[in-house]
Structure formats: structure tokens, C-alpha cells
Amino acid sequence: MSDADFERAKPLVMGRQDHRCLRCGVWLRAGQWPGYAVHHRMNRRRADPEWRHSPANLVALCGTDNAIGCHGWVHRHPEEANRLGLYLRAGQDPRTTPVIDWRGRSLLLDDQGDYTTTTERTIP
Ligand SMILES: [Zn+2]
């Protein structure tokens, strides 16, 4: 998957989340502090090229860079972020690893930009 795939996935990700930060629920608006980023749950280098830029591997978070907002929080707290499914380790698959949203729902994200709610929490 290429950067073009990433650009195509972004609006799907934003729509899936109703333009809210997945972690805190704040409305995401371009040009408004702290901005937002479309974050790779499994970082680009480690992610399988097959699903690197799949909507399943992407979540929109407030904070434009790695220092502020929830995006910054994820990068500063990899352990907690891993428990929430926001930060994945080698061997984890974003399509089978749920992510917990700001409402506390456990979501399985798919390649089409949709999700299913899971009742089972696979938090280790
Ligand atoms: Zn946030």
C-alpha cells in the first residue's frame, strides 16, 4: 500500500469516528488547536505492507504531532496505549485486535473503514 492509500483511507477513518478523537471524543477540526493526526496503530515501518494504511490500522487522534493531545499521549504511554489497542506491537493484527474508544466501547476495525462492536475485551 502506498501513500495514496493512506490519503484515501483518511476520510474513511474520520467518518467512522464521526470526526471525533477516538481516545477523548473531542471534535476534530483542521486548523483548531491541538489539531489532529491520523495515527498508525502499528507503526509504518513495522506494519505489514498489506494493511499498513488500511483503515483498520488507522485511528484519528487529537494532537498534530507526537508531543500533544491524545496522539502525544499514545507515544508517551505505549503500555497503556497498547491495552487500549491504540499502539500495537509486532505480531498483533489491527483487524483482530480491538481498540477501546472514548465511550469505552471495544471496536474491531476493518479494511473498509467500518467497525463492529465486541463485547469481549481482550485486554491482557
Ligand atoms: Zn483526544
Side-chain angles (χ1 to χ4, degrees):
M1 293 183 104
S2 65
D3 284 353
D5 295 306
F6 185 35
E7 293 306 316
R8 265 195 295 277
K10 285 178 183 178
L12 296 174
V13 171
M14 293 298 284
R16 182 185 67 201
Q17 297 178 205
D18 291 328
H19 297 256
R20 304 180 85 141
C21 173
L22 194 78
R23 177 169 177 260
C24 74
V26 75
W27 297 104
L28 301 176
R29 293 186 180 90
Q32 191 168 309
W33 195 91
Y36 65 89
V38 177
H39 162 76
H40 288 77
R41 300 169 68 199
M42 173 85 73
N43 78 44
R44 297 170 198 234
R45 276 187 306 273
R46 216 181 296 157
D48 187 321
E50 278 292 309
W51 45 257
R52 178 178 295 148
H53 299 311
S54 161
N57 193 41
L58 300 171
V59 293
L61 298 170
C62 68
T64 48
D65 62 25
N66 292 354
I68 58 174
C70 290
H71 192 216
W73 181 90
V74 164
H75 285 276
R76 288 193 309 275
H77 301 88
E79 290 295 324
E80 293 96 320
N82 182 256
R83 280 195 286 277
L84 293 172
L86 293 170
Y87 182 83
L88 302 184
R89 298 209 175 82
Q92 290 186 293
D93 186 322
R95 296 161 299 187
T96 56
T97 307
V99 64
I100 312 300
D101 77 357
W102 61 282
R103 294 183 174 97
R105 297 180 306 171
S106 176
L107 311 175
L108 272 182
L109 309 181
D110 67 24
D111 290 328
Q112 281 73 47
D114 227 325
Y115 64 86
T116 51
T117 311
T118 68
T119 48
E120 183 202 358
R121 290 201 177 192
T122 51
I123 300 172

